[in-house]
Amino acid sequence: MSVLATTDMHAPDPLHLRDRLPYLVRRGLITRTIRAFLEARGCMEVETPCAVPVPGEEVHLLPFSTEQETPQGEKQPLFLHTSPEFAMKRIVAATGLSVFQFARVWRNGEGSALHAPEFTMLEWYRPHMALSGLMDETELLLKAALPPTLTYANTTLDLSLPFERLSMQEAFARHAGVDLLPTEGDAQALAKAAACPLRADESWEDLFFRLLLERVEPAIGRERPTFLTHWPASQAALARTDPQDPRVALRFELYAAGMELANAFEELTDATEQRTRFEQDRARRNALYPERKDWPVDENLLAALPHMPPCSGIALGFDRLVMLACGARRIQDVLWMGN
């Protein structure tokens, strides 16, 4: 059976390991290329724990839970991290170094052609680099790891071209016909501007992501990868707001051939503001998912933030990058072993 001929995303089992070897050989080559690229640019590879007291604070992510038992029989709840972000920021705060990690991460309840419950996240953090500089570096990394042109899902990408940089405001105006920022927080106004009916109990954020998924994402990253930048301030997460325009956050996502590849922030170092955002996220998560186990706020991260230099950081879905390079249509086909 040819590995390149198999594109049935609904097949009950992944391809046999032997059939997937061409993809996996390519995976190893890309790993070595990226490691050499980042080390040549002064980044140090690090490792952080996978089982942690605080898995992250993203509202909709469901972590795997476990338990540590000490030799004395004491028990402590732990979680498999959904990202190494908190730990890596603590390293940056303590050392001031540029760091990177090929991290195994876990997100429960996920599974599709593009999602696996356990996968590899490439994260790196660059002190004293603005978000525009991180876009420059990310573009160079992709151009080092991928061929100059490639075809994926009937889309041909020309990576020799400069990557597109498109603000969220520009993207919504161009592809959804919406002046986005004046509507923030007002679901009725956004629905009217987009000429679409508002669903029952649909918030501004819900409609924002629906329009992003249905109208914007299908139209970007098609001839060349696209950086979608300057997200509405309510979507800042761990990014700082733009001092030139507080309506937007210094955040970008990278899209290529219909896939979201990466999410990046110019990092927030204000611990008071970050605590407020965490509390808001936790309140919303508890309201939406009251049955889920809770965890303490990461006080170690909040204590470290004031010591972190100005910094930009990025999380890139490494398996998706390999899929793009190989033309694989399922994430399971580029994993050595999958669940």
Side-chain angles (χ1 to χ4, degrees):
M1 177 170 57
S2 168
V3 69
L4 297 179
T6 301
T7 59
D8 179 8
M9 292 181 285
H10 302 290
D13 297 304
L15 296 172
H16 292 296
L17 183 59
R18 183 172 57 188
D19 296 316
R20 292 188 285 115
L21 277 177
Y23 290 164
L24 299 171
V25 169
R26 187 68 173 273
R27 180 188 182 98
L29 176 61
I30 294 171
T31 301
R32 294 191 294 274
T33 298
I34 290 175
R35 181 172 281 120
F37 175 92
L38 290 172
E39 288 179 343
R41 297 176 72 88
C43 295
M44 177 179 289
E45 187 167 8
V46 298
E47 294 178 282
T48 58
C50 297
V52 295
V54 181
E57 291 291 355
E58 293 191 43
V59 172
H60 300 292
L61 294 186
L62 174 61
F64 286 82
S65 60
T66 184
E67 186 176 69
Q68 178 186 5
E69 184 170 342
T70 70
Q72 295 74 34
E74 298 172 345
K75 296 182 179 181
Q76 176 189 6
L78 293 176
F79 302 86
L80 299 179
H81 65 181
T82 58
S83 163
E85 179 173 9
F86 290 4
M88 293 183 74
K89 285 182 177 180
R90 289 170 57 194
I91 293 174
V92 173
T95 66
L97 294 173
S98 294
V99 295
F100 75 96
Q101 180 173 190
F102 288 93
R104 298 297 288 184
V105 299
W106 290 262
R107 298 180 179 183
N108 213 344
E110 296 198 357
S112 72
L114 295 178
H115 298 84
E118 179 182 353
F119 62 98
T120 299
M121 187 80 82
L122 169 64
E123 293 206 16
W124 74 98
Y125 291 82
R126 298 293 260 144
H128 307 291
M129 180 179 283
L131 203 65
S132 59
L134 187 60
M135 282 190 271
D136 293 339
E137 185 165 78
T138 304
E139 181 171 338
L140 290 173
L141 182 145
L142 260 68
K143 289 181 175 181
L146 299 174
T149 61
L150 59 86
T151 299
Y152 185 85
N154 299 317
T155 299
T156 298
L157 287 175
D158 186 346
L159 278 82
S160 68
L161 297 173
F163 290 9
E164 182 180 28
R165 300 187 183 192
L166 188 65
S167 74
M168 191 69 77
Q169 173 77 352
E170 294 169 329
F172 266 73
R174 182 181 303 175
H175 301 299
V178 172
D179 185 8
L180 177 66
L181 294 178
T183 74
E184 187 167 13
D186 187 338
Q188 292 285 355
L190 180 55
K192 181 178 179 181
C196 69
L198 192 64
R199 295 172 179 170
D201 299 321
E202 191 170 33
S203 67
W204 182 92
E205 181 180 66
D206 294 335
L207 180 55
F208 163 76
F209 278 108
R210 177 156 67 98
L211 294 171
L212 178 64
L213 180 65
E214 294 178 357
R215 300 190 188 181
V216 176
E217 288 186 2
I220 62 176
R222 291 299 174 180
E223 296 180 355
R224 52 182 174 157
T226 297
F227 292 109
L228 189 57
T229 73
H230 295 85
W231 286 53
S234 63
Q235 306 306 310
L238 283 82
R240 72 188 192 100
T241 53
D242 187 345
Q244 305 301 316
D245 185 353
R247 298 178 303 166
V248 299
L250 294 173
R251 171 184 178 181
F252 74 72
E253 288 192 356
L254 175 62
Y255 294 83
M259 280 198 292
E260 176 200 335
L261 289 180
N263 186 26
F265 305 140
E266 193 165 310
E267 304 293 349
L268 180 66
T269 58
D270 183 331
T272 301
E273 171 63 21
Q274 190 62 77
R275 183 185 295 276
T276 298
R277 293 186 193 177
F278 281 166
E279 290 172 351
Q280 292 170 345
D281 289 341
R282 294 165 71 82
R284 185 156 182 252
R285 185 173 64 244
N286 290 336
L288 290 172
Y289 310 109
E291 73 284 358
R292 293 186 182 178
K293 186 183 296 186
D294 210 348
W295 50 84
V297 171
D298 194 330
E299 296 293 347
N300 289 326
L301 172 66
L302 293 174
L305 284 182
H307 304 285
M308 192 166 75
C311 179
S312 293
I314 183 168
L316 186 148
F318 179 72
D319 309 289
R320 292 187 183 184
L321 186 68
V322 176
M323 291 173 65
L324 195 62
C326 299
R329 299 299 299 276
R330 302 183 310 171
I331 192 171
Q332 292 82 4
D333 292 340
V334 300
L335 303 178
W336 277 97
M337 292 285 176
N339 294 326

